[in-house]
Amino acid sequence: MNISLVAHDKKKEMIIDFALSYKHILSKHNLFATGTTGKMISEATGLKIHRFQSGPMGGDQQIGAKIAENNMDLIIFFRDPLTAQPHEPDISALMRLCDVHQIPLVTNLGGAEIVIRALEAGFFEWRNLINKKNNEG
Ligand SMILES: O=C(CO)COP(=O)(O)O
């Protein structure tokens, strides 16, 4: 699965702890992240992560483009709902594309705990079926 990890600044510590806790699951997948989140997670965990631009510089939009191309299977995005973000329109656009293309999106630790266990249990196999169907079509 192609998985994106994103966190706003006040949630960076939380996503690092999450990645450390579930490194054994995340390491089996292709990981992507916005710039600063990816740098911090890879430094803390040693996980190999493809890094896009930093969020305010277009990273959310780059993840959105992957979704539009059906090249992203899950977004784990620890949002900070209490701090205004200069690139709020990009964040809304990313979430909108998840809904357009039925891509699982979790925006907090509670949701992330559930999807990571679902991932480990094989509940994301339907994404492989969709990818296979699209590649055939
Ligand atoms: O702003 C972000 C997502 O909207 C995250 O960007 P960084 O990972 O570069 O801090």
Side-chain angles (χ1 to χ4, degrees):
M1 295 290 146
N2 289 345
I3 301 173
S4 278
L5 301 166
V6 185
H8 287 146
D9 287 350
K10 288 185 185 158
K11 304 290 176 182
K12 293 247 185 343
E13 200 178 319
M14 187 183 276
I15 207 162
I16 288 168
D17 288 347
F18 176 81
L20 281 168
S21 302
Y22 294 109
K23 185 178 165 179
H24 60 291
I25 301 172
L26 291 170
S27 62
K28 293 179 194 148
H29 299 276
N30 304 318
L31 303 177
F32 299 80
T34 46
T36 318
T37 305
K39 184 169 187 287
M40 292 175 78
I41 295 175
S42 62
E43 280 172 4
T45 63
L47 285 165
K48 193 168 153 268
I49 303 177
H50 175 86
R51 284 164 52 199
F52 294 118
Q53 296 287 332
S54 181
M57 301 306 289
D60 301 77
Q61 296 252 359
Q62 288 179 292
I63 294 173
K66 290 277 179 201
I67 293 169
E69 294 162 355
N70 195 36
N71 282 324
M72 198 53 71
D73 299 299
L74 169 64
I75 314 292
I76 295 175
F77 187 167
F78 289 180
R79 289 176 68 222
D80 175 4
L82 301 178
T83 307
Q85 304 291 332
H87 56 304
E88 196 61 49
D90 295 9
I91 299 163
S92 300
L94 170 57
M95 295 194 297
R96 179 183 170 276
L97 284 175
C98 288
D99 290 345
V100 169
H101 294 281
Q102 310 306 324
I103 299 303
L105 162 73
V106 292
T107 57
N108 60 58
L109 181 60
E113 291 280 354
I114 292 170
V115 293
I116 200 83
R117 288 161 201 273
L119 187 67
E120 189 180 29
F123 289 4
F124 278 71
E125 288 310 309
W126 61 275
R127 284 291 307 155
N128 283 336
L129 293 177
I130 286 181
N131 290 339
K132 192 162 165 261
K133 202 170 127 204
N134 285 348
N135 290 338
E136 284 166 2

